[in-house]
Coordinates of all heavy atoms in Angstrom, one line a residue:
A33 N 124.5 65.0 60.8 CA 125.5 65.9 60.2 C 126.7 66.0 61.1 O 127.9 66.0 60.6 CB 124.9 67.3 60.1
Q34 N 126.5 66.1 62.4 CA 127.7 66.2 63.3 C 128.5 64.9 63.2 O 129.8 65.0 63.2 CB 127.2 66.3 64.8 CG 126.6 67.7 65.1 CD 126.1 67.8 66.5 OE1 125.5 66.8 67.0 NE2 126.3 68.9 67.1
T35 N 127.9 63.7 63.2 CA 128.6 62.5 63.1 C 129.4 62.4 61.8 O 130.6 62.0 61.8 CB 127.6 61.3 63.2 OG1 126.9 61.4 64.4 CG2 128.3 60.0 63.1
V36 N 128.8 62.8 60.7 CA 129.6 62.8 59.4 C 130.7 63.7 59.4 O 131.8 63.4 59.0 CB 128.6 63.0 58.2 CG1 129.4 63.1 56.9 CG2 127.6 61.8 58.1
A37 N 130.5 65.0 59.9 CA 131.6 65.9 60.0 C 132.7 65.4 60.8 O 133.9 65.5 60.5 CB 131.0 67.2 60.5
Y38 N 132.4 64.8 61.9 CA 133.4 64.2 62.8 C 134.1 63.1 62.1 O 135.4 63.0 62.1 CB 132.7 63.7 64.1 CG 133.6 62.9 65.0 CD1 134.5 63.5 65.8 CD2 133.6 61.5 64.9 CE1 135.4 62.8 66.6 CE2 134.5 60.7 65.7 CZ 135.4 61.4 66.6 OH 136.2 60.7 67.4
G39 N 133.4 62.2 61.5 CA 134.0 61.0 60.8 C 134.9 61.5 59.6 O 135.9 60.8 59.4
L40 N 134.6 62.6 59.0 CA 135.4 63.1 57.9 C 136.5 64.1 58.3 O 137.4 64.4 57.5 CB 134.5 63.7 56.8 CG 133.6 62.8 56.1 CD1 132.7 63.5 55.1 CD2 134.3 61.6 55.4
G41 N 136.4 64.5 59.6 CA 137.3 65.5 60.0 C 137.2 66.8 59.4 O 138.2 67.6 59.2
I42 N 136.0 67.3 59.1 CA 135.7 68.5 58.5 C 134.7 69.3 59.3 O 134.0 68.8 60.1 CB 135.2 68.3 57.0 CG1 133.8 67.6 57.0 CG2 136.2 67.7 56.2 CD1 133.3 67.5 55.6
D43 N 134.6 70.6 58.9 CA 133.6 71.4 59.6 C 132.2 71.1 59.2 O 131.9 70.8 58.1 CB 133.9 72.9 59.3 CG 133.0 73.8 60.2 OD1 133.5 74.1 61.3 OD2 132.0 74.3 59.7
I44 N 131.3 71.1 60.2 CA 129.9 70.8 59.9 C 129.2 71.7 58.9 O 128.3 71.2 58.2 CB 129.0 70.8 61.3 CG1 127.7 70.1 61.0 CG2 128.9 72.2 61.8 CD1 127.0 69.8 62.3
S45 N 129.7 72.8 58.7 CA 129.2 73.7 57.6 C 129.4 73.1 56.2 O 128.7 73.5 55.3 CB 129.8 75.1 57.7 OG 131.2 75.0 57.4
Q46 N 130.2 72.1 56.1 CA 130.5 71.5 54.8 C 129.5 70.3 54.5 O 129.6 69.7 53.5 CB 132.0 71.0 54.7 CG 132.8 72.3 54.6 CD 134.3 71.8 54.5 OE1 134.9 71.4 55.5 NE2 134.8 71.9 53.3
I47 N 128.7 70.0 55.5 CA 127.7 68.9 55.4 C 126.4 69.4 54.9 O 125.9 70.4 55.6 CB 127.7 68.1 56.7 CG1 129.0 67.7 57.2 CG2 126.7 67.0 56.6 CD1 129.7 66.7 56.3
I48 N 125.8 68.8 54.0 CA 124.5 69.1 53.5 C 123.6 68.0 53.9 O 123.9 66.8 53.4 CB 124.4 69.4 52.0 CG1 125.4 70.6 51.7 CG2 123.0 69.6 51.5 CD1 125.5 70.8 50.2
V49 N 122.5 68.2 54.6 CA 121.5 67.2 55.0 C 120.3 67.3 54.1 O 119.8 68.4 54.0 CB 121.2 67.2 56.4 CG1 120.1 66.2 56.8 CG2 122.4 67.1 57.3
T50 N 119.8 66.2 53.4 CA 118.6 66.3 52.7 C 117.7 65.2 53.3 O 118.1 64.4 54.1 CB 119.0 66.0 51.2 OG1 119.5 64.7 51.1 CG2 119.9 67.0 50.6
S51 N 116.5 65.2 52.7 CA 115.5 64.2 53.2 C 115.9 62.8 52.8 O 116.5 62.7 51.7 CB 114.1 64.6 52.7 OG 114.1 64.6 51.3
S52 N 115.5 61.9 53.5 CA 115.9 60.5 53.2 C 114.9 59.9 52.1 O 113.7 60.2 52.1 CB 115.8 59.6 54.4 OG 116.0 58.3 54.1
S53 N 115.4 59.2 51.2 CA 114.6 58.6 50.1 C 115.3 57.4 49.5 O 116.4 57.4 49.3 CB 114.3 59.6 49.0 OG 113.5 59.0 48.0
T54 N 114.5 56.3 49.3 CA 115.2 55.1 48.8 C 115.6 55.2 47.3 O 116.3 54.4 46.8 CB 114.2 53.9 48.9 OG1 112.9 54.2 48.2 CG2 114.0 53.5 50.3
D55 N 115.2 56.3 46.6 CA 115.7 56.5 45.3 C 117.2 57.1 45.3 O 117.9 57.2 44.2 CB 114.8 57.4 44.4 CG 114.7 58.9 44.8 OD1 115.1 59.1 46.0 OD2 114.4 59.7 44.1
K56 N 117.7 57.5 46.5 CA 119.0 58.0 46.6 C 120.0 57.1 47.4 O 121.1 56.9 47.1 CB 119.0 59.4 47.3 CG 118.2 60.4 46.5 CD 118.1 61.7 47.3 CE 117.3 62.7 46.6 NZ 115.9 62.4 46.3
V57 N 119.4 56.5 48.5 CA 120.2 55.7 49.4 C 119.3 54.6 49.9 O 118.2 54.7 50.2 CB 120.7 56.5 50.6 CG1 121.4 55.6 51.6 CG2 121.5 57.6 50.2
P58 N 119.9 53.3 50.0 CA 119.1 52.2 50.5 C 118.6 52.6 51.9 O 119.3 53.2 52.7 CB 120.1 51.1 50.7 CG 121.2 51.4 49.8 CD 121.2 53.0 49.6
N59 N 117.4 52.4 52.2 CA 116.8 52.8 53.5 C 116.0 51.8 54.1 O 115.5 51.0 53.5 CB 116.0 54.1 53.2 CG 115.8 55.0 54.4 OD1 116.3 54.7 55.5 ND2 115.1 56.1 54.2
C60 N 115.9 51.8 55.5 CA 115.1 50.9 56.1 C 113.6 51.5 56.3 O 113.4 52.6 56.0 CB 115.7 50.6 57.5 SG 115.6 52.0 58.6
S61 N 112.8 50.7 56.9 CA 111.4 51.2 57.0 C 111.4 52.1 58.2 O 112.5 52.3 58.9 CB 110.5 49.9 57.3 OG 110.9 49.3 58.6
M62 N 110.3 52.7 58.5 CA 110.2 53.7 59.5 C 110.6 53.1 60.9 O 110.2 52.0 61.2 CB 108.7 54.3 59.6 CG 108.4 55.2 58.4 SD 106.8 55.9 58.6 CE 106.8 56.7 60.1
T63 N 111.2 53.8 61.6 CA 111.6 53.5 63.0 C 111.4 54.6 64.0 O 111.1 55.7 63.6 CB 113.1 53.0 63.1 OG1 114.0 54.1 62.7 CG2 113.4 51.8 62.2
G64 N 111.6 54.4 65.2 CA 111.4 55.5 66.2 C 112.3 55.3 67.4 O 112.8 54.3 67.6
G65 N 112.4 56.4 68.1 CA 113.2 56.3 69.3 C 114.6 56.7 69.1 O 115.1 56.8 68.0
S66 N 115.4 56.7 70.2 CA 116.8 57.1 70.1 C 117.7 56.0 69.5 O 118.7 56.4 69.0 CB 117.3 57.5 71.4 OG 117.3 56.4 72.4
G67 N 117.2 54.8 69.5 CA 117.9 53.7 68.9 C 118.2 54.0 67.4 O 119.2 53.6 66.8
T68 N 117.2 54.6 66.7 CA 117.4 54.9 65.3 C 118.5 55.9 65.1 O 119.4 55.7 64.2 CB 116.1 55.6 64.7 OG1 115.0 54.7 65.0 CG2 116.2 55.9 63.2
S69 N 118.6 56.9 65.9 CA 119.7 57.9 65.8 C 121.1 57.1 66.1 O 122.0 57.4 65.3 CB 119.6 59.0 66.9 OG 120.7 59.8 66.9
E70 N 121.2 56.3 67.0 CA 122.4 55.7 67.3 C 122.8 54.7 66.2 O 124.0 54.6 65.8 CB 122.3 54.9 68.6 CG 122.2 55.8 69.8 CD 122.0 55.1 71.1 OE1 122.2 53.9 71.1 OE2 121.6 55.8 72.1
T71 N 121.9 54.0 65.6 CA 122.3 53.0 64.6 C 122.6 53.8 63.3 O 123.5 53.4 62.5 CB 121.2 52.0 64.4 OG1 119.9 52.7 64.0 CG2 121.0 51.1 65.6
C72 N 121.8 54.8 63.0 CA 122.1 55.6 61.8 C 123.5 56.3 61.9 O 124.3 56.3 60.9 CB 121.1 56.7 61.6 SG 119.5 56.0 61.0
C73 N 123.8 56.8 63.1 CA 125.2 57.3 63.2 C 126.3 56.3 63.1 O 127.3 56.6 62.5 CB 125.3 58.0 64.7 SG 124.4 59.5 64.8
A74 N 126.0 55.1 63.6 CA 127.0 54.0 63.4 C 127.2 53.7 61.9 O 128.4 53.5 61.4 CB 126.6 52.7 64.2
A75 N 126.1 53.7 61.1 CA 126.2 53.4 59.7 C 126.9 54.6 59.0 O 127.7 54.4 58.1 CB 124.8 53.2 59.1
A76 N 126.6 55.8 59.4 CA 127.3 57.0 58.8 C 128.7 57.0 59.1 O 129.6 57.3 58.2 CB 126.6 58.3 59.3
L77 N 129.2 56.6 60.3 CA 130.6 56.5 60.6 C 131.3 55.4 59.8 O 132.4 55.6 59.3 CB 130.8 56.2 62.1 CG 130.6 57.4 63.0 CD1 130.7 57.0 64.5 CD2 131.6 58.5 62.7
D78 N 130.6 54.3 59.5 CA 131.1 53.3 58.6 C 131.3 53.8 57.2 O 132.4 53.6 56.6 CB 130.2 52.1 58.6 CG 130.6 51.0 57.6 OD1 131.8 50.4 57.9 OD2 130.0 50.6 56.7
A79 N 130.4 54.6 56.7 CA 130.5 55.3 55.4 C 131.7 56.2 55.4 O 132.5 56.3 54.4 CB 129.3 56.0 55.0
T80 N 131.9 57.1 56.4 CA 132.9 58.0 56.5 C 134.3 57.3 56.5 O 135.3 57.8 55.9 CB 132.9 59.0 57.7 OG1 132.9 58.3 58.9 CG2 131.5 59.8 57.6
K81 N 134.4 56.2 57.1 CA 135.6 55.4 57.2 C 136.0 54.9 55.8 O 137.1 55.0 55.4 CB 135.5 54.2 58.2 CG 136.5 53.2 58.1 CD 137.7 53.5 59.0 CE 138.7 52.5 59.1 NZ 139.6 52.3 58.0
K82 N 135.0 54.4 55.1 CA 135.3 53.9 53.7 C 135.7 55.2 52.8 O 136.6 54.9 52.0 CB 134.0 53.3 53.1 CG 133.6 52.0 53.8 CD 132.3 51.5 53.3 CE 131.8 50.3 54.0 NZ 130.5 49.8 53.6
L83 N 135.1 56.3 53.0 CA 135.5 57.4 52.2 C 136.9 57.9 52.5 O 137.7 58.2 51.7 CB 134.4 58.6 52.3 CG 134.7 59.8 51.4 CD1 134.8 59.4 50.0 CD2 133.6 60.8 51.7
Q84 N 137.2 58.0 53.8 CA 138.5 58.3 54.3 C 139.6 57.3 53.7 O 140.6 57.8 53.3 CB 138.6 58.4 55.8 CG 137.8 59.4 56.4 CD 138.5 60.8 56.4 OE1 139.1 61.1 55.3 NE2 138.4 61.6 57.4
D85 N 139.2 56.1 53.7 CA 140.2 55.1 53.1 C 140.4 55.3 51.6 O 141.5 55.2 51.2 CB 139.6 53.7 53.4 CG 139.6 53.2 54.8 OD1 140.3 53.9 55.6 OD2 139.0 52.2 55.1
A86 N 139.4 55.7 50.9 CA 139.5 56.0 49.5 C 140.4 57.2 49.2 O 141.0 57.3 48.2 CB 138.1 56.2 48.9
L87 N 140.4 58.1 50.2 CA 141.2 59.4 50.1 C 142.6 59.3 50.6 O 143.4 60.2 50.4 CB 140.5 60.5 50.7 CG 139.1 60.9 50.2 CD1 138.4 62.0 51.0 CD2 139.2 61.4 48.7
V88 N 143.0 58.1 51.1 CA 144.4 58.0 51.6 C 145.4 58.4 50.7 O 146.4 59.1 51.0 CB 144.6 56.5 52.2 CG1 146.1 56.3 52.4 CG2 143.8 56.4 53.5
P89 N 145.4 57.9 49.4 CA 146.5 58.3 48.5 C 146.5 59.8 48.2 O 147.6 60.3 48.0 CB 146.1 57.6 47.1 CG 145.2 56.5 47.5 CD 144.5 57.0 48.8
Y90 N 145.4 60.4 48.2 CA 145.4 61.9 48.0 C 145.9 62.7 49.2 O 146.5 63.7 49.1 CB 143.9 62.3 47.6 CG 143.5 61.6 46.4 CD1 142.8 60.4 46.5 CD2 143.7 62.2 45.2 CE1 142.4 59.7 45.3 CE2 143.4 61.5 44.0 CZ 142.7 60.3 44.1 OH 142.4 59.7 42.9
R91 N 145.6 62.2 50.4 CA 146.1 62.8 51.6 C 147.7 62.6 51.7 O 148.3 63.5 52.1 CB 145.5 62.2 52.9 CG 144.0 62.7 53.0 CD 143.6 62.4 54.5 NE 142.1 62.6 54.6 CZ 141.6 63.8 54.8 NH1 142.4 64.8 54.9 NH2 140.3 63.9 55.0
K92 N 148.1 61.5 51.2 CA 149.6 61.3 51.2 C 150.3 62.2 50.3 O 151.3 62.7 50.5 CB 149.9 59.8 50.9 CG 149.6 58.9 52.1 CD 150.0 57.4 51.8 CE 149.8 56.5 52.9 NZ 150.1 55.2 52.7
A93 N 149.6 62.3 49.1 CA 150.2 63.1 48.1 C 150.2 64.7 48.4 O 151.1 65.4 48.0 CB 149.5 62.9 46.7
K94 N 149.1 65.1 49.1 CA 149.0 66.5 49.5 C 148.5 66.6 50.9 O 147.3 66.8 51.2 CB 147.9 67.1 48.6 CG 148.3 67.2 47.1 CD 147.2 67.9 46.3 CE 147.5 67.9 44.8 NZ 146.4 68.6 44.1
P95 N 149.4 66.3 51.9 CA 149.0 66.3 53.3 C 148.4 67.5 53.9 O 147.6 67.4 54.8 CB 150.3 66.0 54.0 CG 151.4 65.9 53.0 CD 150.8 66.1 51.7
D96 N 148.7 68.7 53.2 CA 148.1 69.9 53.8 C 146.9 70.4 52.9 O 146.3 71.5 53.1 CB 149.1 71.1 53.8 CG 150.3 70.7 54.7 OD1 150.0 70.1 55.8 OD2 151.4 71.0 54.3
A97 N 146.3 69.5 52.0 CA 145.2 69.9 51.2 C 144.0 70.1 52.0 O 143.7 69.4 53.0 CB 145.1 68.9 50.1
K98 N 143.1 71.1 51.5 CA 141.8 71.3 52.0 C 140.9 70.1 51.6 O 141.2 69.5 50.5 CB 141.2 72.6 51.6 CG 142.1 73.8 52.0 CD 141.9 74.1 53.5 CE 142.6 75.4 53.8 NZ 142.9 75.5 55.1
W99 N 139.8 69.9 52.3 CA 138.8 68.9 51.9 C 138.4 69.0 50.5 O 138.3 68.0 49.7 CB 137.6 69.0 52.9 CG 136.5 68.0 52.6 CD1 135.3 68.3 52.0 CD2 136.5 66.7 52.7 NE1 134.5 67.3 51.8 CE2 135.3 66.2 52.2 CE3 137.5 65.7 53.2 CZ2 135.0 64.8 52.3 CZ3 137.1 64.4 53.2 CH2 135.9 63.9 52.7
F100 N 138.0 70.2 50.1 CA 137.4 70.4 48.7 C 138.5 70.0 47.7 O 138.2 69.4 46.7 CB 137.0 71.9 48.5 CG 136.6 72.2 47.2 CD1 135.2 71.8 46.8 CD2 137.3 72.7 46.2 CE1 134.7 72.1 45.6 CE2 136.8 72.9 44.9 CZ 135.5 72.6 44.6
D101 N 139.8 70.3 47.9 CA 140.8 70.0 47.0 C 141.0 68.4 46.9 O 141.2 67.9 45.9 CB 142.1 70.6 47.3 CG 142.0 72.1 47.3 OD1 141.2 72.6 46.4 OD2 142.7 72.8 48.1
L102 N 140.9 67.7 48.1 CA 141.0 66.3 48.1 C 139.9 65.6 47.3 O 140.2 64.8 46.5 CB 141.0 65.8 49.5 CG 142.2 66.1 50.4 CD1 141.9 65.7 51.9 CD2 143.5 65.4 49.9
I103 N 138.7 66.0 47.6 CA 137.6 65.3 46.9 C 137.5 65.7 45.4 O 137.1 64.9 44.5 CB 136.2 65.5 47.5 CG1 135.8 67.0 47.6 CG2 136.3 64.9 48.9 CD1 134.4 67.2 48.1
T104 N 138.0 66.9 45.1 CA 138.0 67.3 43.6 C 139.1 66.5 42.9 O 138.7 66.0 41.8 CB 138.4 68.8 43.5 OG1 137.3 69.6 44.2 CG2 138.5 69.2 42.1
D105 N 140.2 66.3 43.5 CA 141.3 65.4 42.9 C 140.7 64.1 42.7 O 140.9 63.4 41.6 CB 142.5 65.5 43.7 CG 143.3 66.8 43.6 OD1 142.9 67.6 42.8 OD2 144.2 67.0 44.4
A106 N 140.1 63.5 43.8 CA 139.6 62.1 43.6 C 138.5 62.0 42.6 O 138.5 61.1 41.8 CB 139.0 61.7 45.0
F107 N 137.6 63.0 42.6 CA 136.6 63.0 41.6 C 137.1 63.1 40.1 O 136.7 62.3 39.3 CB 135.6 64.1 41.8 CG 134.6 64.3 40.8 CD1 133.4 63.5 40.9 CD2 134.6 65.2 39.8 CE1 132.4 63.6 39.9 CE2 133.7 65.3 38.8 CZ 132.5 64.4 38.8
N108 N 138.1 63.9 39.9 CA 138.7 64.1 38.7 C 139.4 62.8 38.2 O 139.6 62.5 37.0 CB 139.6 65.3 38.6 CG 138.9 66.5 38.7 OD1 137.7 66.6 38.3 ND2 139.5 67.6 39.1
D109 N 139.8 62.0 39.2 CA 140.5 60.7 38.8 C 139.5 59.6 38.7 O 139.9 58.4 38.5 CB 141.6 60.4 40.0 CG 142.8 61.2 39.9 OD1 143.0 61.9 38.8 OD2 143.6 61.2 40.9
G110 N 138.3 59.9 38.8 CA 137.2 58.8 38.6 C 137.0 58.0 39.9 O 136.4 56.9 39.8
I111 N 137.3 58.5 41.0 CA 137.1 57.8 42.3 C 135.6 57.9 42.6 O 135.1 59.0 42.6 CB 137.9 58.3 43.4 CG1 139.4 58.1 43.1 CG2 137.6 57.6 44.8 CD1 139.9 56.7 42.8
N112 N 134.9 56.8 43.0 CA 133.6 56.8 43.3 C 133.4 57.5 44.7 O 134.0 56.9 45.8 CB 133.0 55.4 43.4 CG 131.5 55.4 43.8 OD1 130.8 56.4 43.9 ND2 131.0 54.2 44.0
L113 N 132.8 58.6 44.8 CA 132.6 59.3 46.1 C 131.2 59.1 46.7 O 130.9 59.7 47.8 CB 132.9 60.8 45.9 CG 134.2 61.1 45.4 CD1 134.4 62.6 45.2 CD2 135.3 60.7 46.4
S114 N 130.5 58.2 46.1 CA 129.2 57.9 46.6 C 129.3 56.5 47.5 O 129.5 55.5 46.9 CB 128.2 57.6 45.5 OG 127.0 57.2 46.0
I115 N 129.4 56.7 48.8 CA 129.7 55.7 49.7 C 128.5 55.3 50.6 O 127.8 56.2 51.0 CB 130.9 56.0 50.6 CG1 132.1 56.6 49.8 CG2 131.3 54.9 51.5 CD1 132.8 55.5 49.0
T116 N 128.2 54.1 50.7 CA 127.2 53.7 51.7 C 127.9 53.0 52.9 O 128.9 52.3 52.8 CB 126.2 52.6 51.2 OG1 126.8 51.5 50.7 CG2 125.4 53.3 50.0
G117 N 127.3 53.2 54.1 CA 127.8 52.6 55.3 C 126.7 51.6 55.7 O 125.5 51.7 55.3
Y118 N 127.1 50.7 56.6 CA 126.2 49.7 57.1 C 126.4 49.4 58.6 O 127.6 49.5 59.0 CB 126.5 48.4 56.3 CG 125.6 47.3 56.7 CD1 124.3 47.2 56.1 CD2 126.1 46.3 57.5 CE1 123.6 46.1 56.5 CE2 125.3 45.2 57.8 CZ 124.0 45.1 57.3 OH 123.2 44.1 57.6
F119 N 125.4 49.2 59.3 CA 125.5 48.8 60.7 C 124.5 47.8 61.0 O 123.3 47.9 60.6 CB 125.3 50.0 61.6 CG 125.2 49.7 63.1 CD1 126.4 49.5 63.8 CD2 124.0 49.5 63.7 CE1 126.3 49.1 65.1 CE2 123.9 49.1 65.0 CZ 125.1 49.0 65.8
H120 N 124.9 46.9 61.8 CA 124.0 45.8 62.3 C 124.4 45.5 63.7 O 125.6 45.2 64.0 CB 124.1 44.5 61.4 CG 123.1 43.5 62.0 ND1 123.6 42.4 62.7 CD2 121.8 43.3 61.9 CE1 122.6 41.6 63.1 NE2 121.5 42.2 62.6
G121 N 123.5 45.6 64.6 CA 123.8 45.3 66.0 C 124.2 43.9 66.2 O 124.2 43.1 65.3
S122 N 124.4 43.5 67.4 CA 124.9 42.1 67.8 C 123.7 41.1 67.6 O 124.0 39.9 67.7 CB 125.3 42.1 69.3 OG 124.1 42.4 70.1
G123 N 122.5 41.5 67.3 CA 121.4 40.6 67.2 C 120.7 40.4 68.5 O 119.7 39.7 68.6
E124 N 121.2 41.1 69.5 CA 120.5 41.1 70.8 C 120.2 42.5 71.2 O 121.0 43.4 70.9 CB 121.4 40.4 71.8 CG 121.7 39.0 71.5 CD 122.7 38.3 72.5 OE1 122.9 38.9 73.5 OE2 123.2 37.3 72.2
G125 N 119.2 42.7 72.0 CA 118.9 44.0 72.5 C 118.2 44.9 71.6 O 117.7 44.5 70.6
P126 N 118.3 46.2 71.9 CA 117.5 47.2 71.1 C 118.0 47.5 69.7 O 117.3 48.0 68.9 CB 117.6 48.4 71.9 CG 118.8 48.3 72.7 CD 119.0 46.8 73.0
F127 N 119.2 47.1 69.4 CA 119.8 47.4 68.1 C 120.0 46.1 67.3 O 121.0 46.0 66.6 CB 121.2 48.1 68.2 CG 121.0 49.3 69.2 CD1 121.8 49.3 70.3 CD2 120.2 50.3 68.9 CE1 121.7 50.4 71.2 CE2 120.1 51.5 69.7 CZ 120.8 51.5 70.9
S128 N 119.0 45.3 67.2 CA 119.1 44.0 66.6 C 118.5 44.1 65.1 O 117.9 43.2 64.7 CB 118.5 42.9 67.4 OG 117.0 43.2 67.6
Y129 N 118.5 45.2 64.5 CA 118.1 45.3 63.1 C 119.1 46.0 62.2 O 120.0 46.6 62.7 CB 116.7 46.1 63.1 CG 116.7 47.4 63.8 CD1 117.0 48.6 63.0 CD2 116.4 47.6 65.1 CE1 117.0 49.9 63.6 CE2 116.4 48.8 65.7 CZ 116.7 50.0 64.9 OH 116.7 51.1 65.6
F130 N 118.9 45.9 60.9 CA 119.8 46.4 59.9 C 119.5 47.9 59.6 O 118.3 48.2 59.6 CB 119.7 45.6 58.6 CG 120.2 44.1 58.9 CD1 119.2 43.2 59.2 CD2 121.4 43.7 58.8 CE1 119.5 41.9 59.4 CE2 121.9 42.4 59.0 CZ 120.9 41.5 59.2
I131 N 120.5 48.6 59.3 CA 120.4 50.0 58.9 C 121.5 50.4 57.9 O 122.5 49.8 58.0 CB 120.3 50.9 60.1 CG1 119.9 52.3 59.8 CG2 121.7 51.0 60.8 CD1 118.5 52.5 59.6
Y132 N 121.2 51.3 57.0 CA 122.2 51.8 56.1 C 122.4 53.3 56.4 O 121.5 54.0 56.9 CB 121.7 51.7 54.6 CG 121.7 50.3 54.1 CD1 120.6 49.5 54.3 CD2 122.9 49.8 53.5 CE1 120.6 48.2 53.7 CE2 122.9 48.5 53.1 CZ 121.8 47.7 53.2 OH 121.8 46.4 52.7
G133 N 123.6 53.8 56.0 CA 123.9 55.3 56.1 C 124.7 55.6 54.9 O 125.3 54.7 54.3
A134 N 124.8 56.9 54.6 CA 125.6 57.2 53.4 C 126.4 58.5 53.8 O 126.0 59.3 54.6 CB 124.7 57.5 52.2
S135 N 127.4 58.7 53.0 CA 128.2 59.9 53.2 C 128.6 60.4 51.8 O 128.8 59.6 50.9 CB 129.4 59.6 54.1 OG 130.6 60.0 53.6

């Protein structure tokens, strides 16, 4: 939640965290350890970057708009707000596996 709030530049109170499930978001198999947190955060940041890029025209049109107003305008214009992020490590070391994240 903190990573997504940071990536979107919004307050953490605007982030809703739900349980992970492959019927909602592509997901990897079970993992463990702190490496999972780091790779999931990297994938989530990738997703927030894609969402921020999609909102650029709305930020330019309304530079002082609140988050809710930006996403409402984008939604009403038919912009896909369901974004997936992706992270893959260098292929060496502890982060040499694929992971998905969503925002």
